[in-house]
Amino acid sequence: MTEMNENPLDLLPEVLLAASAVLGLLLGSWLPRARQWAVGLLAVVACVAGIVAASVAATEPATTAFGEAFAVDTVTGASRIVVLGGTLLVLGVSFRPLRGHPRESEFYVLVQLAALGALMMAGTQDLLLFAAAYLLASIPAYTLAGFRKDGPGTEAALKFYVVGALLGVLLLAGVTVLYAAGRATLYPMLGDALRVAPEPLVAVGAIGLLAGVLFKAGGVPAHFWVPDAVQGSSAPVAALLTTLPKIGALAALFRVGDAVFAGSSLPWPALIAVLAAASMTLGNLGAFFQQDVKRLLAYSTISQVGYLLLPVAVVDRSDLAQQAFLYYLAAYTVTNLGAFAVVCALPHAHTLDDYRGLAKDHPLLAASLVICLLGLVGTPPTAVFLGKLQAFSAVFDGGYAWLAVLAAVNTVASLFYYLRWIVPAVSRGASPGLAEGDRTARVVAYAATVISVGLGLAGGPVLDALAGPVSP
């Protein structure tokens, strides 16, 4: 272990977000209800400043902070920018529906704390810090799921919390077992120790750790909460639940696979490959005949976890894994949030038929919806197309050709349920669900669509930037 480095500037994006959350909570206690929007504005400033700080830190050599417990490297830098950018989009679709709400400032604070937990999960190199970050990302999300205090929201929060509490306990148990097996919590030291540790202990600890991470990511078999929690939550909260926690959890899993389980006796790549296959397949099957748009996107996000797990499975087998994973993470985040922004822009449209005639009444919004849904399929020139291409190449290069073929088949199959939404949106007719909605959310939808296409067109330079070193 190197000497303790306690420079807070190494964690400047995280510090800015935490400070904004604390200050926002204090401001919310004193500001009148009509001016609670200032807390949201403060959150936006913190996210923008955090993105700038993360971009500057990304140009520096990879390093660690706080005694190697936190890594400041390419994975952390990319995750920071994606999480903070995603938080900006979530805040953007929240301003209008939250304006004047009695707990408006609390909502913005909870969003920032959930994002802070995702940031910490992505950069941690220590099991204890990971467990703390996991709880920080979880508890605000439970509160946000039931924020509306209505029947569906209460049910969503209850199911989310019960499943999360169970799998969170399994994660803590897994952390304890791994510590008992390796006598260390730092990833580099733990990885060396687990190579000679008893295999049953390593297997039990890994399964417990996976249970918690897959819950946070919404992957099979810890996916049962996703459809109900997403459907019962408000649209801005649903957008958050399907993006920000996934970024932190999957980035943490990528780092754990690379630093802890690579080269161990545990068949880690095969295990992740099976989970990826199950997630993409079951997610697609669940989405096929959904009528509620939020529920359809919920199953869609389960399937997307499967694609995101492809490069995670071959992290130590392919040189393409890191670029593919980080690029796909960014591509999925902006494209999925773009689709949810359309849902937020039309708060009275709940089913697929409610979108009938969207192209006639709101042509730009319909174009955004079509581009984002086809983007989630993986249609060029959107970013997800290049992300999937890179992910397929990585698993093929890593010796899992069967997984690449299965992913391609699932990609084609997913076109069916996305088209079930697109067809009524571009058809003639009218629906009362297309009444005047949230104009701010429309702007967010347009911005996310442009970023998704722009990221796809600028894929080469972005991929080169994501090939940087990872902290040992």
Side-chain angles (χ1 to χ4, degrees):
M1 180 186 296
T2 60
E3 64 180 12
M4 182 66 73
N5 175 10
E6 298 182 356
N7 183 8
L9 292 180
D10 289 331
L11 277 70
L12 185 57
E14 292 79 10
V15 170
L16 289 171
L17 203 59
S20 174
V22 173
L23 183 58
L25 192 60
L26 295 174
L27 286 175
S29 301
W30 296 98
L31 289 173
R33 183 176 298 179
R35 296 182 180 177
Q36 297 285 310
W37 56 265
V39 178
L41 181 59
L42 178 64
V44 169
V45 172
C47 289
V48 173
I51 291 174
V52 174
S55 301
V56 172
T59 63
E60 302 294 330
T63 185
T64 58
F66 293 86
E68 298 185 357
F70 193 89
V72 184
D73 55 16
T74 304
V75 174
T76 302
S79 300
R80 282 171 166 174
I81 294 173
V82 175
V83 168
L84 293 172
T87 305
L88 279 176
L89 296 179
V90 171
L91 290 171
V93 299
S94 305
F95 281 130
R96 184 74 177 270
L98 266 294
R99 188 69 181 271
H101 193 282
R103 292 172 288 125
E104 181 179 1
S105 60
E106 287 89 337
F107 182 90
Y108 300 136
V109 170
L110 289 170
V111 168
Q112 292 177 88
L113 291 177
L116 178 60
L119 289 178
M120 295 304 297
M121 282 196 295
T124 181
Q125 284 199 133
D126 186 278
L127 287 178
L128 298 181
L129 182 58
F130 172 71
Y134 179 90
L135 294 175
L136 179 58
S138 299
I139 296 173
Y142 299 148
T143 308
L144 287 170
F147 195 81
R148 294 189 301 186
K149 289 186 176 181
D150 56 3
T154 302
E155 181 182 358
L158 182 61
K159 291 180 178 179
F160 190 18
Y161 171 74
V162 169
V163 177
L166 172 62
L167 297 180
V169 169
L170 290 181
L171 179 137
L172 295 176
V175 168
T176 304
V177 172
L178 288 175
Y179 174 71
R183 298 297 181 182
T185 58
L186 285 174
Y187 291 174
M189 297 174 61
L190 185 63
D192 293 337
L194 291 185
R195 290 182 177 88
V196 295
E199 293 184 11
L201 277 182
V202 177
V204 170
I207 291 172
L209 187 68
L210 266 177
V213 173
L214 288 174
F215 160 75
K216 188 57 60 184
V220 174
H223 66 290
F224 296 103
W225 63 273
V226 178
D228 293 330
V230 170
Q231 184 181 15
S233 304
S234 64
V237 173
L240 182 148
L241 294 179
T242 56
T243 48
L244 301 188
K246 292 183 187 299
I247 302 169
L250 292 173
L253 189 63
F254 184 89
R255 196 182 294 279
V256 167
D258 185 32
V260 178
F261 295 113
S264 69
S265 59
L266 185 71
W268 181 260
L271 178 59
I272 300 299
V274 171
L275 292 172
S279 295
M280 68 178 76
T281 303
L282 294 180
N284 279 339
L285 291 175
F288 275 161
F289 301 106
Q290 297 298 325
Q291 292 296 325
D292 186 279
V293 292
K294 287 195 293 184
R295 199 170 182 88
L296 185 148
L297 286 174
Y299 279 106
S300 166
T301 197
I302 295 171
S303 70
Q304 292 292 333
V305 173
Y307 302 119
L308 285 163
L309 286 174
L310 296 181
V312 177
V314 293
V315 59
D316 62 332
R317 292 174 169 231
S318 172
D319 294 335
L320 303 174
Q322 178 178 311
Q323 293 169 284
F325 172 71
L326 295 176
Y327 185 87
Y328 199 151
L329 205 61
Y332 163 74
T333 298
V334 69
T335 308
N336 185 67
L337 287 175
F340 267 103
V342 175
V343 175
C344 294
L346 301 170
H348 304 294
H350 303 292
T351 66
L352 301 182
D353 288 337
D354 290 339
Y355 283 77
R356 189 170 299 279
L358 179 62
K360 178 181 177 182
D361 293 346
H362 308 291
L364 287 179
L365 199 60
S368 295
L369 178 64
V370 171
I371 291 173
C372 287
L373 292 182
L374 291 180
L376 289 173
V377 176
T379 306
T382 59
V384 175
F385 166 72
L386 183 56
K388 283 191 174 182
L389 187 62
Q390 290 291 316
F392 294 172
S393 300
V395 293
F396 190 85
D397 182 56
Y400 285 94
W402 66 269
L403 188 57
V405 172
L406 181 62
V409 171
N410 272 285
T411 296
V412 175
S414 68
L415 182 62
F416 170 75
Y417 57 84
Y418 291 122
L419 285 177
R420 291 184 61 242
W421 191 351
I422 292 173
V423 169
V426 300
S427 300
R428 294 181 179 181
S431 169
L434 302 181
E436 189 69 20
D438 188 344
R439 295 182 179 179
T440 307
R442 291 188 193 181
V443 175
V444 173
Y446 304 152
T449 303
V450 171
I451 295 172
S452 179
V453 175
L455 188 61
L457 295 176
V462 175
L463 286 170
D464 291 339
L466 296 176
V470 176
S471 296

